[in-house]
Amino acid sequence: MLNLENVSKSFKPPSSFGRELLSLISRKEIGGSVHAVRGLSLRVKPGQILGLVGESGSGKSTLGRIMCGLYRPNTGKVVFEGRDLDSLNKKERQRLSLKIQFMFQDPASSLNPRIRCGAALSEGLVIHGLGNRLERREKVCHLMEEVGLSPKLIDRYPHQFSGGQRQRLSLARALSLDPSLLIADEPASAIDVSIQAQIINLLLDLKAKRGLTMVLISHDLPLVCLMADQIAVMYGGLLMEVFPRSLLGQVDHHPYVKALWASADFASSQKITLEGEPPDPLNPPPGCPFHPRCLEAVDICASLCPPMLPLGSDHFCACHLRK
Amino acid sequence: MITPDLNQKSANIADPVLKVSNLAVSFGRGRYLAVRGLDFDLNQGEVVGLVGESGSGKSMTAFSLMGLLPFGAALDSGSVIFQGRELTTLPPKERRSVCGLHMGMVFQEPLTALNPVLTIGDQVSEIFRYRMGYSKAQAQKMAIELLGQAGLPNPASTLKNYPHRFSGGMRQRVVIAMALALSPQLVIADEPTTALDPTIAAQVVLILKTMSEQRQTAVLFITHNLRLLTGLTSRVLVMYAGLIVEETKGDFSDPLHPYTRGLMNALPPLPSSGQSKRLAPIAGHPLSPDERLNGCPFEPRCPERLGVCATVCPPLTEKSGYGRVRCHLYYHA
Ligand SMILES: Nc1ncnc2c1ncn2[C@@H]1O[C@H](COP(=O)(O)OP(=O)(O)OP(=O)(O)O)[C@@H](O)[C@H]1O
Ligand SMILES: Nc1ncnc2c1ncn2[C@@H]1O[C@H](COP(=O)(O)OP(=O)(O)OP(=O)(O)O)[C@@H](O)[C@H]1O
Ligand code: SF4
Ligand SMILES: [Mg+2]
Ligand SMILES: [Mg+2]
């Protein structure tokens, strides 16, 4: 469905004024670029949910944006349904943007407070010239029902909805163009536990009913384990391990994945507490990005970045000690 | 490394460090009720959790204990007895000095607690210089030792850095170190790990736990992440719509209240449990702060409600072997 081949993305440093100010305050030269995603390959299979997890700043959202063409990677290819995104002309790109939808991390900031719910949901249809007024309204009502909102609320403004309802609105908007791939960035993190379960169930139903393919970005591990078929773990802009959900805990995982799971499992007796800090994206460490914190690191880890090697079917791992 | 310590509770039950009764806070001259009447105690050296959804009044509880209510908020009623002294009637200046010396606070966003134009060293040693009257050199030495305890690598060189050079986890450790610098009797930590990732959050919780244990400091740990509390706290206060609805065990092993049980069912199961059940969301929305209470605050959403629930708010009653619970199901039984 979607193939990423060796993609990387770095961002230019902040504006020169900001940079000078920062250098002034810290009395240090600040420059170089932020290496958010540093060359990784990944495959999303149709009809599956791929869970993308990793620490804050590990590059998950950036990768999500690369996947849907919001960012153009500096190197590498994004191949969607057999076609390289870069080779498409403008019109083809536009058609493609119907098929891949992105659901943003923060629903409050992605909805315009002055636009009523109905207009917000039909925006995409209008832009792409789909249907007439009546058809669009019918479609919007249908969408609202699909995400569990009463169509009676169609004339409300975003602030008149609760957090969970706003999250459903932004889901309905992402679904309005019948995408075949949905990229959901932290779909449930901004809402309370008692309500987030609704969104989770909704996404699972959509997968079952529509056969929707999804990339679920989250750092809530129990959530990812519940939903995903395939789990990809990022660290410092690179993939550490990709494995099917069914293998969780059944194989000798990457040292970072082990620690991550131990920290999520607060009840677990075998706590692994990692020392140290995640890598600085401005100057990532040489070798394996995890080596400064890794409990198993050997000499070679500090100098050579381990390649991603297959360990089994659909199971890949980047670690010198897992081959 | 984090192990449950249930014996802590037995220490000095007779005279709690903090005794809160009927604490109520509102905004807009009583129009918005943020906290509707809380009662709880904290014993010396004890770590107690305070959980609840967004808007349930956790932060306002914390601010009112510290005497730091934001503009527009007022204490409607209640007493806060700290080490035998009533705080709410103290003159502001005296209250600030009591709170400054014997209470510490860790906020959700560590950047707001740190001054961006001062080095970490200046900010930490300032506490020792101005509160304790230490010399500059002495204060510097104390600061290095303190940051070392908080697990910061090379504290001596760390001191010279500005806050923006640090990651979120490092900043939060600095803030925890500052809150515990003077070995206070009580620290209130308001969502200290919410902005952090799982592995970093685990570090921060561990630091808070060890540092407060060394100093016999009581901690009120506010969070909306129920799982974070396992093994950290002996008991947990569950808040809903400005009220404590249940006081239960730190690991949530025997929740009684329909709301607490609902929360447990809405939570994705732990990966290690091997379950993959469908989650059960709680229908409806929490009471908003401008609504008055007629009966139980959870009644509109409660799957087990009784006839009486809509009209009478149940009191928070002791349930031996469990804790306290505010629910008619247990009140009459
Ligand atoms: N537009 C941008 N300009 C400059 N730097 C950026 C930009 N977007 C992201 N970054 C940087 O790239 C790195 C990766 O960011 P990204 O948002 O992908 O992380 P993430 O894994 O989604 O984190 P989180 O869990 O906090 O959402 C970070 O260091 C971030 O500061
Ligand atoms: N300035 C204000 N004016 C009116 N109401 C306010 C104001 N600040 C907070 N509130 C209300 O007070 C109630 C309690 O807020 P509080 O910040 O204590 O919640 P909380 O439990 O800490 O939530 P969170 O988990 O989101 O931090 C909320 O319903 C909130 O809407
Ligand atoms: S008092 Fe009644 S409505 Fe409230 S939680 Fe108990 S059973 Fe439910
Ligand atoms: Mg992100
Ligand atoms: Mg709060």
Side-chain angles (χ1 to χ4, degrees), chain A residues 56-57 59-62 105 185-186 217 219:
Chain A
S56 178
K60 304 181 297 295
S61 299
T62 306
Q105 201 157 346
D185 196 356
E186 306 272 8
I217 302 178
H219 54 230

Side-chain angles (χ1 to χ4, degrees), chain A residues 25-27 55-56 162 192-194 198 200-201 205 222 226 261 263 265-266 271 274-278 293, chain B residues 1 53-54 162 167 170 173 197-199 203 227-228 267 269-272 277-279 281-282 285 301:
Chain A
I25 296 176
S26 65
R27 292 178 208 148
E55 294 192 304
S56 178
S162 72
D192 287 309
V193 199
S194 78
Q198 297 171 355
I200 295 169
N201 287 344
D205 289 345
L226 181 76
W261 249 271
S263 68
D265 209 338
F266 290 97
K271 278 254 175 251
L274 287 180
E275 303 282 319
E277 308 298 324
R293 297 174 74 195
Chain B
M1 265 179 252
E53 304 185 52
S54 179
Y162 290 87
S167 67
M170 285 168 94
R173 273 180 278 170
D197 319 294
T199 61
Q203 282 178 0
R227 293 220 162 107
L228 205 56
L267 224 50
L270 282 175
S272 60
K277 57 168 189 186
R278 194 172 165 84
L279 302 180
I282 304 179
H285 308 290
R301 301 172 78 186

Side-chain angles (χ1 to χ4, degrees), chain A residues 50-75:
Chain A
L50 175 83
L52 194 57
V53 296
E55 294 192 304
S56 178
S58 58
K60 304 181 297 295
S61 299
T62 306
L63 190 65
R65 282 163 194 234
I66 291 175
M67 285 177 177
C68 63
L70 278 174
Y71 286 155
R72 199 172 264 232
N74 300 117
T75 67

